[in-house]
Amino acid sequence: MIRITDILEEGQKYLSRKDLEMIEKAYIFSASVHHGQLRLSGEPYLIHPLEVAGMLVEMRLDVATLITCLLHDTVEDTLATLEQIEEAFGKDVAFLVDGLTKISKITFGDQMERQAENFRKMILAMSSDIRILLVKLTDRLHNMRTLDFQPADRQIFIAQETLEVYAPLAARLGINWIKDELEDLSLKYIHPGGYYELMERVNKKEEERNRYVEEVRNIIHKQVESFGLKGDVRGRAKHFYSIFKKMHEQRINFDEVYDLTAFRIILDSDEERKCYEVLSIIHALWKPVHGRFKDYMAMPKANNYRSLHTTVIGPYGERVEIQIRTKEMDEWAEKGIAAHWRYKEGKAFSTEDEDQINKLRELLDMQGEHKDAREFMKNLKLALYPDEVYVFTPKGDVKSFPKGATPIDFAYSIHTDVGNQCIGAKVNRTIVPLKYKLRNGDTVAVMTQAGHYPSKDWLKYAVTTRAVSKIKQWIKTEEREKSIAFGRDILEKELKRHHLKFSQLVKANEFSAILEESSLPTVNDMLALIGYGKLSARHVAHQLLHEEEEEEKRGILDRVKDRFKKARSDAGISITGIDNVMVRFAKCCSPLPGDDIVGCVTRGRGITVHLSSCPRIREMDPERIIAAQWNVDQQQTFSVGIRVTCSDKKGLLSELSNVIYSLGINTTYVNVDATPGNYAICNFQLDIKDLKQLNLVVSELNKLKSVSSVERMKEPFHGSGKNRMHETIDIRH
């Protein structure tokens, strides 16, 4: 178990006395706020931050990072605040602790969504300061070392997450010792049977392997020194996961894995040419295996790893893997980005490491496009597992791509527009199809054409996250524009059925409630959903109509005034609180000046005037009924129908017409129907000034002996009265 004295002792090798005092102060602070807290193992919680700090002090990280290791869980798990940390340890430490706290604070119901959001946050945080990821990786490594105390289901989930994301992230940063241990520990929980079987088999051969390693190491050392070259030769067994992976991928058993041991030659000289000299010495000593030579010096890996790799047939016919590198290359191979760590004048990372950070930032390119958690995680894993191919641009620059990459990936790596307009490519001066898989050493030139755009088929051939993301982005944009146009067309037709216009509704901001309810930012988003078939145009139209009714119920009569404002009507009606509004008379009751009337707010037709006694009024929403008064010019007349029931006799129509004419009333239409029983029904359409005049003509007609009743008709008529249904009101009294 590590102690604070161990950390301080290691820190003395490169930190100042003041730095060590701040680390000790952080330890005391952490111990006080974590006091009484225990891990699942039963150990004091403080052991965890100490172990994390112990790993990073061996990597010679700066004092702010080491203090952050000791404090990284304080804000999340104790009552300590960022303000306290900033006051005691400065803004730099507070920033790092805050970054780590934000990663851990996210809570979602869905496990996949939570995992995706965690990695989004982590990558964003490390883009600001890579130290956040270094602490997070070592934090995860110690948690993996103590995973035995977690429930079985949590063990598998954490191990799978570690294998799929954290180990590749460590590889991306070039920290191979963390990557190897994370992979081995993940294997232990995901495939415990395979892990323990490998452990048993490797241990059985340990003594035999150690003898072989020593023998080969001595041969290499003597041979290299004989040519005047100095360096260190090391032999090591491959870690379990790499053996397990090889057995699984090649479908072989343990006894068929021949290169269980790898040798590393680390030269004292920084001259790269001497690495090639050593390579020629090894190849002269033992026969190289065809296709197993890799020059990562001329073409470094994506994480800037540089070395020469070769496999030879060594003593006793055994395959031996040999790596050749300088001390500087070896330091990078083990410590990665941490090997070049500098933190001066507030700069989070050196210029030479900027490329690595940019590559990691590219993982977020798809963030806006892949809101779905599963899609994001799929692309994240794709980006973290590059089995690389190295190709040249026409100018001789080297570009690396995942295995299986095509000219499409190459084109998008240059620029989005180059990718979108790509029509083909020349590889080694020969035209190839876009689905051609790039090979090591290819020289690639892209052919473009203005106005050319990506195809959905390209998604079958693109493998880089950047290319896939950009193609999907273009396709979605193109499909969205088509869907918006299609959606608008559908909605306009639906609105037209309800006498509404789309353009007027947009200007009046009528869609705001629907957008808010559906969490849509713009009208175009709504139209796109309609075009995609995910939102019904009928539903939108009905929502608008419902909103209008609700506003009418709330008595917003100004809305009615604005919508139906026209030139002043000659209807002779005054509506309380509203001027210049379109007015019409209900056919169900044909009101006349002098009648008690009310107005009814209608949609698209202004105010409809009814008799206050009209049966239809009782069926309407009371909130839509408004006060109305007559305000007529004496010269104005209104069309009213009356029905006269009388005895059928000669000269009847002339008798009735004379009475009406004598009162100065104009008749616009007459219809007479005979009925069984020697009765006649006479329907008159009259131009009446007001209720008083109507009552007068009714009274005069009732004085005739042949007349049995006079009734005011429900509505004006324009033809034969046969088979016409009338709702009548007796107004004789």
Side-chain angles (χ1 to χ4, degrees):
M1 183 177 69
I2 194 169
R3 300 179 183 276
I4 187 61
T5 51
D6 301 322
I7 295 171
L8 294 173
E9 185 178 340
E10 186 67 27
Q12 284 177 350
K13 297 176 182 178
Y14 69 100
L15 296 174
S16 68
R17 189 169 187 175
K18 184 179 179 181
D19 289 342
L20 296 174
E21 288 174 357
M22 289 299 291
I23 292 172
E24 192 168 5
K25 179 182 176 182
Y27 167 74
I28 294 170
F29 181 90
S30 184
S32 63
V33 296
H34 283 300
H35 180 70
Q37 292 183 351
L38 300 176
R39 304 196 80 212
L40 291 177
S41 62
E43 298 174 322
Y45 192 87
L46 189 60
I47 288 176
H48 173 65
L50 279 172
E51 290 286 352
V52 175
M55 292 183 224
L56 290 182
V57 75
E58 290 183 1
M59 296 170 69
R60 300 205 169 193
L61 268 291
D62 66 318
V63 65
T65 308
L66 298 177
I67 292 173
T68 300
C69 289
L70 295 170
L71 304 178
H72 74 276
D73 284 331
T74 54
V75 174
E76 183 185 358
D77 295 338
T78 75
L79 298 176
T81 65
L82 277 175
E83 289 74 18
Q84 288 177 305
I85 291 174
E86 183 174 341
E87 184 179 350
F89 304 101
K91 290 184 178 180
D92 192 20
V93 172
F95 171 78
L96 296 175
V97 172
D98 185 38
L100 287 159
T101 303
K102 284 177 180 176
I103 294 171
S104 304
K105 260 188 175 180
I106 315 141
T107 54
F108 291 91
D110 180 71
Q111 194 175 58
M112 179 65 75
E113 184 182 351
R114 180 171 62 250
Q115 187 188 42
E117 192 61 26
N118 269 287
F119 290 121
R120 281 194 183 106
K121 292 282 186 181
M122 183 169 64
I123 296 168
L124 282 171
M126 74 186 184
S127 296
S128 302
D129 199 314
I130 201 69
R131 292 174 296 178
I132 292 173
L133 181 57
L134 293 173
V135 176
K136 189 66 182 174
L137 286 174
T138 47
D139 171 76
R140 175 54 65 107
L141 178 54
H142 184 250
N143 284 333
M144 286 298 295
R145 288 174 177 176
T146 56
L147 198 59
D148 282 342
F149 301 99
Q150 289 281 356
D153 59 333
R154 287 289 296 161
Q155 287 177 350
I156 295 173
F157 174 76
I158 293 171
Q160 194 71 44
E161 181 182 76
T162 300
L163 184 63
E164 292 180 350
V165 179
Y166 283 94
L169 278 173
R172 268 299 180 100
L173 297 183
I175 314 174
N176 285 330
W177 72 271
I178 291 182
K179 175 193 78 80
D180 291 349
E181 189 171 350
L182 287 176
E183 287 177 342
D184 282 353
L185 289 170
S186 298
L187 179 65
K188 175 181 175 182
Y189 295 99
I190 297 171
H191 298 288
Y195 175 83
Y196 286 110
E197 182 182 358
L198 272 177
M199 178 186 287
E200 184 179 352
R201 285 175 171 267
V202 170
N203 288 340
K204 277 183 179 180
K205 292 189 174 183
E206 184 175 8
E207 186 177 342
E208 178 185 337
R209 186 178 64 253
N210 288 341
R211 286 197 303 268
Y212 185 79
V213 167
E214 188 61 25
E215 181 179 348
V216 173
R217 194 187 71 81
N218 287 333
I219 294 172
I220 294 174
H221 191 272
K222 288 178 181 179
Q223 195 70 13
V224 169
E225 280 196 339
S226 68
F227 284 86
L229 299 172
K230 293 185 178 181
D232 186 20
V233 181
R234 302 171 188 171
R236 61 174 181 84
K238 288 189 173 181
H239 67 292
F240 292 163
Y241 181 75
S242 66
I243 300 171
F244 179 85
K245 186 178 178 183
K246 184 169 187 176
M247 291 168 58
H248 180 72
E249 290 178 349
Q250 298 183 11
R251 297 182 180 181
I252 58 177
N253 58 44
F254 180 79
D255 294 328
E256 295 175 284
V257 180
Y258 298 111
D259 50 348
L260 290 173
T261 306
F263 291 86
R264 187 175 301 158
I265 304 172
I266 304 167
L267 298 176
D268 292 343
S269 172
D270 289 333
E271 294 182 57
E272 293 183 4
R273 65 178 181 82
K274 293 191 175 181
C275 293
Y276 290 101
E277 289 180 21
V278 172
L279 177 68
S280 63
I281 293 170
I282 297 299
H283 283 177
L285 183 63
W286 294 305
K287 183 179 180 180
V289 177
H290 179 70
R292 297 285 295 174
F293 169 65
K294 294 175 183 177
D295 189 345
Y296 293 121
M297 284 171 55
M299 293 180 286
K301 286 187 177 183
N303 60 9
N304 279 346
Y305 171 89
R306 302 174 70 224
S307 183
L308 296 178
H309 288 199
T310 187
T311 301
V312 297
I313 306 298
Y316 313 111
E318 295 285 344
R319 288 192 177 194
V320 177
E321 182 182 319
I322 299 175
Q323 301 168 359
I324 306 166
R325 60 182 69 148
T326 65
K327 280 186 177 180
E328 183 184 2
M329 294 176 193
D330 187 63
E331 186 181 18
W332 176 270
E334 288 305 302
K335 298 180 181 179
I337 202 167
H340 291 177
W341 186 259
R342 299 291 182 273
Y343 194 81
K344 297 178 182 178
E345 300 174 359
K347 189 173 182 181
F349 35 81
S350 62
T351 305
E352 61 187 347
D353 298 330
E354 181 73 35
D355 185 50
Q356 294 307 305
I357 307 304
N358 288 335
K359 287 177 182 177
L360 289 166
R361 283 190 184 126
E362 285 182 5
L363 299 180
L364 294 178
D365 279 352
M366 76 289 271
Q367 185 173 1
E369 297 301 317
H370 306 302
K371 294 180 180 178
D372 177 73
R374 296 183 185 279
E375 186 73 12
F376 175 81
M377 291 305 296
K378 176 184 174 183
N379 282 275
L380 176 64
K381 292 170 188 176
L382 176 67
L384 290 175
Y385 285 102
D387 188 358
E388 288 149 355
V389 174
Y390 298 91
V391 299
F392 295 95
T393 68
K395 293 182 179 180
D397 296 328
V398 178
K399 283 183 171 288
S400 63
F401 295 95
K403 189 175 182 180
T406 64
I408 295 172
D409 300 295
F410 184 92
Y412 277 104
S413 73
I414 298 171
H415 194 277
T416 301
D417 290 339
V418 175
N420 286 343
Q421 298 176 11
C422 175
I423 59 170
K426 288 184 179 180
V427 174
N428 305 324
R429 299 184 180 180
T430 301
I431 295 177
V432 297
L434 290 178
K435 64 181 180 181
Y436 170 85
K437 292 184 179 180
L438 301 177
R439 300 172 185 173
N440 278 318
D442 280 346
T443 298
V444 186
V446 178
M447 297 184 292
T448 61
Q449 179 179 310
H452 187 268
Y453 298 109
S455 160
K456 280 187 179 180
D457 290 338
W458 287 14
L459 292 173
K460 299 176 184 176
Y461 313 129
V463 299
T464 60
T465 53
R466 177 179 175 81
V468 170
S469 176
K470 295 300 181 182
I471 295 167
K472 286 184 176 179
Q473 182 181 348
W474 189 91
I475 291 171
K476 284 185 178 180
T477 302
E478 181 72 9
E479 288 182 347
R480 176 180 164 82
E481 290 175 359
K482 290 180 181 177
S483 294
I484 289 173
F486 185 50
R488 176 167 178 164
D489 185 51
I490 295 172
L491 183 58
E492 283 183 336
K493 288 178 180 177
E494 182 64 30
L495 293 174
K496 192 175 181 181
R497 292 177 60 242
H498 299 281
H499 310 288
L500 298 172
K501 288 188 177 180
F502 174 80
S503 56
Q504 292 179 356
L505 293 170
V506 171
K507 287 180 182 178
N509 200 26
E510 295 289 338
F511 293 106
S512 57
I514 297 173
L515 297 179
E516 184 177 352
E517 179 187 330
S518 305
S519 300
L520 296 170
T522 66
V523 172
N524 278 348
D525 291 304
M526 177 188 73
L527 294 176
L529 288 181
I530 295 173
Y532 284 131
K534 295 180 180 178
L535 182 63
S536 166
R538 182 174 296 180
H539 171 75
V540 173
H542 286 179
Q543 283 285 92
L544 286 170
L545 300 177
H546 177 70
E547 278 295 314
E548 190 172 315
E549 289 173 357
E550 288 299 313
E551 290 186 1
E552 287 168 354
K553 288 180 181 180
R554 292 194 293 269
I556 307 178
L557 298 177
D558 285 342
R559 177 183 176 85
V560 178
K561 179 178 71 175
D562 292 340
R563 178 166 291 186
F564 305 115
K565 196 169 184 180
K566 295 180 181 292
R568 183 172 179 82
S569 169
D570 293 329
I573 299 294
S574 294
I575 304 298
T576 303
I578 300 179
D579 296 323
N580 299 328
V581 67
M582 185 171 68
V583 174
R584 60 187 293 274
F585 295 100
K587 292 182 179 181
C588 57
C589 53
S590 300
L592 285 173
D595 281 329
D596 289 333
I597 56 174
V598 292
C600 178
V601 178
T602 59
R603 185 164 42 253
R605 293 177 294 177
I607 305 296
T608 302
V609 177
H610 289 260
L611 289 172
S612 57
S613 59
C614 178
R616 292 281 183 87
I617 293 294
R618 294 193 294 270
E619 301 172 3
M620 296 179 184
D621 189 334
E623 297 294 331
R624 298 174 62 183
I625 308 303
I626 58 176
Q629 296 176 342
W630 291 103
N631 181 23
V632 296
D633 185 339
Q634 290 300 315
Q635 302 302 317
Q636 199 170 349
T637 61
F638 300 84
S639 184
V640 178
I642 61 171
R643 174 175 294 168
V644 182
T645 304
C646 53
S647 301
D648 191 8
K649 65 177 184 177
K650 290 182 179 181
L652 172 65
L653 184 59
S654 176
E655 184 181 4
L656 296 174
S657 297
N658 286 336
V659 172
I660 295 170
Y661 179 74
S662 68
L663 297 174
I665 298 173
N666 182 47
T667 302
T668 60
Y669 190 84
V670 179
N671 174 262
V672 179
D673 282 331
T675 63
N678 202 31
Y679 280 95
I681 296 177
C682 303
N683 296 323
F684 291 87
Q685 193 79 28
L686 308 176
D687 287 338
I688 302 293
K689 293 180 181 178
D690 53 26
L691 183 61
K692 182 178 178 181
Q693 190 180 42
L694 177 63
N695 286 337
L696 178 61
V697 71
V698 169
S699 174
E700 291 300 317
L701 289 172
N702 271 322
K703 290 178 183 179
L704 299 175
K705 291 182 180 180
S706 58
V707 174
S708 57
S709 69
V710 180
E711 300 169 322
R712 184 174 174 177
M713 295 178 66
K714 175 183 176 182
E715 60 181 80
F717 59 90
H718 304 286
S720 173
K722 286 185 179 181
N723 300 322
R724 179 181 293 276
M725 298 298 294
H726 298 287
E727 179 182 340
T728 61
I729 304 173
D730 191 342
I731 58 171
R732 287 181 294 174
H733 305 294

